[in-house]
Amino acid sequence: MTYPPQDPAGQYGPSQPGAQQPAGGYAPGQAGPETYATTQFPGQPPYPGQPGSQPYPQYDPNAAYQAQYGQYGPPPVQATTKSSAGTAILVIGVVLLMAVGAFGGYYFLGNGDDEGRLNADDATVEDTPGGGEGETGEDDGGQDPEAPPVPSGTHLTVPSLESVTPIPGEEWQYAAGPGVASEPLTDAEIYQIQHTESWISFFGVGLYSGAAAVYDPADLNASALSASDVWLGDGFSTVEGYQKSEITYTPVEVDGRPGVLAEWRNSWTSSPDTTDLYEDTAILVVDVDGVNGFIGIASVSETGAALYDPAIEALLATDFGAETA
């Protein structure tokens, strides 16, 4: 088979229309006509010093007070001296408080001395996961405990199901995973044989992807059929005269769990990618726990026909809950 499917207007709105002048011709913000009252003493000519003018009468403030308040004179006036001393003290106090607060914040937040910087650095070291020395003081090598598993070279792993499946033989070469997706497999590990530049045999195991195909633990035959439709996809779209044989379903037990092995042959009359004329495919579906399904796929082209049976045996030898998973 070929490779599987892996202007903005102003923020304050338009300007307001200009203010209309009120009656009288004056508008705010403009210099308008003003009139000032004038006072002229009685009997005073317009221009003092001209002939016929009389000298100004002497002004006696006591006489005016007596005329207004009588013989007792004006009432005593209380002193209303206004001192700016209190205001000055208040302003100085506020300024001092602001200065003390700024200095204290700068000091205690660790920006003003080496101790503050040391505390910040300590926090960074403690909060950084992985790398450096652990609580025991020994170098942990900087390994990430959440790093994905690596291929073992001896078996295929499905981490979510804690399953291991032996590699069918040395002809199979590592391709991807564990933890990759290749519909209808997810959390999968995959091996393959490269027959030509664009034609391979496929061997992979994974968690049955309910998002890609229909998984029903009560009907494993239907689950295998649904998976076969998804997996075939366009894997044989380049061949001429493609035919798919009838699927045979064989009930099996894998590590004490019920399963079904679905098998069929893909055949064609010609292909630009290979000189082979057929490829045998098997899909194993296992009900792991009544909810999750294991799926294994082996599809071996004519050139590697002798490797088909060992691939089936490897799928059926899958172990769940193994310590090496």
Side-chain angles (χ1 to χ4, degrees):
M1 66 172 296
T2 56
Y3 287 96
Q6 314 257 30
D7 72 43
Q11 60 177 333
Y12 301 108
S15 59
Q16 299 296 325
Q20 300 296 324
Q21 293 188 0
Y26 174 72
Q30 296 179 348
E34 293 184 299
T35 58
Y36 301 91
T38 59
T39 302
Q40 183 176 356
F41 289 100
Q44 178 185 356
Y47 301 97
Q50 297 296 328
S53 62
Q54 298 295 325
Y56 295 143
Q58 297 295 320
Y59 177 68
D60 186 0
N62 293 330
Y65 287 148
Q66 289 178 0
Q68 181 177 1
Y69 297 104
Q71 61 178 339
Y72 299 104
V77 178
Q78 299 294 330
T80 58
T81 302
K82 181 178 181 180
S83 174
S84 61
T87 301
I89 293 175
L90 178 60
V91 171
I92 293 172
V94 171
V95 172
L96 288 175
L97 287 175
M98 292 174 63
V100 171
F103 177 79
Y106 185 78
Y107 181 85
F108 289 109
L109 288 178
N111 291 324
D113 59 8
D114 292 337
E115 182 180 358
R117 287 190 294 272
L118 180 58
N119 291 338
D121 293 341
D122 289 345
T124 302
V125 172
E126 293 175 359
D127 294 341
T128 302
E133 295 183 354
E135 294 180 357
T136 61
E138 298 179 358
D139 193 344
D140 60 12
Q143 296 182 353
D144 184 357
E146 299 300 327
V150 296
S152 67
T154 61
H155 57 265
L156 289 74
T157 304
V158 182
S160 58
L161 297 177
E162 297 183 341
S163 70
V164 294
T165 302
I167 297 175
E170 61 183 11
E171 299 85 357
W172 295 92
Q173 301 299 312
Y174 170 79
V180 299
S182 179
E183 295 181 352
L185 296 77
T186 186
D187 195 22
E189 186 169 358
I190 299 170
Y191 277 65
Q192 67 185 31
I193 299 174
Q194 192 81 40
H195 298 294
T196 69
E197 183 178 352
S198 56
W199 198 262
I200 65 169
S201 288
F202 179 95
F203 187 86
V205 296
L207 174 68
Y208 191 114
S209 174
V214 179
Y215 174 67
D216 182 0
D219 192 344
L220 297 180
N221 286 14
S223 300
L225 176 61
S226 179
S228 71
D229 292 338
V230 173
W231 183 80
L232 281 172
D234 58 357
F236 297 95
S237 61
T238 63
V239 304
E240 298 291 339
Y242 173 79
Q243 290 185 346
K244 176 185 176 183
S245 70
E246 183 178 355
I247 298 178
T248 61
Y249 299 94
T250 304
V252 295
E253 184 176 283
V254 179
D255 194 20
R257 295 164 173 80
V260 64
L261 181 66
E263 299 177 89
W264 74 92
R265 172 166 288 187
N266 309 280
S267 61
W268 53 90
T269 58
S270 65
S271 170
D273 301 310
T274 179
T275 58
D276 291 352
L277 296 179
Y278 71 87
E279 181 167 319
D280 290 325
T281 303
I283 292 183
L284 173 67
V285 178
V286 179
D287 176 18
V288 178
D289 53 14
V291 177
N292 299 296
F294 168 89
I295 180 171
I297 301 178
S299 191
V300 181
S301 192
E302 180 183 4
T303 299
L307 303 176
Y308 179 77
D309 287 341
I312 301 301
E313 293 174 2
L315 289 178
L316 296 176
T318 297
D319 186 9
F320 297 98
E323 294 182 358
T324 55

